[in-house]
Amino acid sequence: GSEAPARWSLLADDISQLLVVETLPVEPLARLAGGLPALSPQLRATLAQLKPRGQLARVEFSQLHSNAAPVYRQLRAALDGVDFDSRDGKIPGLLGLRGQLTADAGAVVLDLELDEAELSAPLRFRRPIPIQRARGGILLLPQAGGATVESTRLEVTGPGFAVEGNLRLGFREGERPFLDLLATVPAGDLTAAPYFWLIDVMPPVAVAWLDRALSTGRVSEGRWLWRGPVGRGAMPYLQHEGQMEASVLL
């Protein structure tokens, strides 16, 4: 059958308007965003690959205007189980995205509230990574010729592992995305390590050896640095155009 019509309300006075919608599906909004002239071809292609889907709840669109200042518009919404696919099989996709979204012309901010989600990049990790809890902020900054995605106070836990860190991912027209990531592992179980083997750059013999050598035990401290271009064909960094380092204390 057909979906129930969206329930909405509108409040307005001389200088402001507020439109509130109880629920909105993500797919048509993503198609609309993909057609915006201001979106670069690279970001448009990325959005098409991600195929975002799911639902927004308590959507609030506000507009404030006066004779002395430009019109200010803001969107606020709760992400209620939004999914998106991996980009090129290497930039991870996510199932079960939840959080609070705030957006205006200058930035998009997402405060994560994940409980029971799944991260996947089938050409980079050999199996999906289960996430039991994730908190932190994600910031999207549109810029001329691209955009930047940054994280703040990112904390992720899963079966046998916990990760804290920050990342910055830059998109520029005509260039591969550039990743700057620093993650620390305060403690963890070695049985969770195979989730994070990079199968697109690690030789199969190395993966098999690590599986045998690190089958039991605990990690008391770990650190992962990754700085360089990402995406199809970006790795390995044969010309030193990027850097990846990992260290653990067992």
Side-chain angles (χ1 to χ4, degrees):
S2 60
E3 295 184 0
R7 298 181 61 182
W8 59 275
S9 59
L10 176 65
L11 302 174
D13 56 28
D14 293 340
I15 64 170
S16 64
Q17 295 84 40
L18 173 63
L19 175 64
V20 180
V21 184
E22 288 189 3
T23 59
L24 275 180
V26 169
E27 294 92 329
L29 295 178
R31 290 194 295 269
L32 177 63
L36 294 176
L39 206 65
S40 69
Q42 184 183 34
L43 287 178
R44 189 174 293 114
T46 296
L47 188 61
Q49 286 191 5
L50 296 180
K51 298 184 179 65
R53 54 205 178 270
Q55 185 168 271
L56 301 179
R58 183 62 188 184
V59 182
E60 300 180 0
F61 178 76
S62 59
Q63 179 173 274
L64 180 65
H65 55 87
S66 68
N67 295 331
V71 176
Y72 176 74
R73 298 181 177 92
Q74 185 186 74
L75 174 70
R76 295 174 59 86
L79 276 65
D80 188 16
V82 173
D83 303 335
F84 58 89
D85 294 341
S86 168
R87 180 185 186 272
D88 293 331
K90 295 188 176 183
I91 295 180
L94 184 66
L95 302 180
L97 176 61
R98 286 179 168 81
Q100 298 295 321
L101 180 73
T102 304
D104 59 21
V108 178
V109 180
L110 174 61
D111 292 316
L112 293 175
E113 298 175 358
L114 270 70
D115 294 291
E116 303 302 330
E118 185 178 272
L119 193 74
S120 64
L123 299 183
R124 174 143 291 158
F125 303 117
R126 58 183 174 184
R127 60 177 182 264
I129 301 172
I131 296 175
Q132 297 171 334
R133 185 179 188 274
R135 296 294 187 270
I138 304 293
L139 176 66
L140 170 63
L141 297 170
Q143 299 165 340
T148 299
V149 178
E150 299 180 358
S151 74
T152 58
R153 309 178 312 279
L154 196 59
E155 300 178 358
V156 180
T157 60
F161 69 88
V163 180
E164 302 172 356
N166 287 296
L167 65 84
R168 186 177 188 273
L169 183 61
F171 296 90
R172 295 295 178 269
E173 189 65 35
E175 302 177 8
R176 290 191 177 99
F178 193 92
L179 175 66
D180 197 341
L181 167 70
L182 177 60
T184 59
V185 179
D189 193 326
L190 281 179
T191 58
Y195 284 123
F196 304 98
W197 301 153
L198 304 179
I199 60 174
D200 56 325
V201 295
M202 297 171 63
V205 64
V207 172
W209 183 88
L210 287 169
D211 283 342
R212 294 192 300 271
L214 303 178
S215 58
T216 60
R218 295 281 299 173
V219 173
S220 58
E221 182 180 330
R223 181 177 182 271
W224 184 21
L225 170 69
W226 185 353
R227 190 173 192 275
V230 294
R232 190 180 301 276
M235 298 179 68
Y237 299 137
L238 300 178
Q239 304 300 321
H240 306 289
E241 61 271 44
Q243 176 185 7
M244 182 184 294
E245 297 178 1
S247 61
V248 294
L249 182 62
L250 305 178

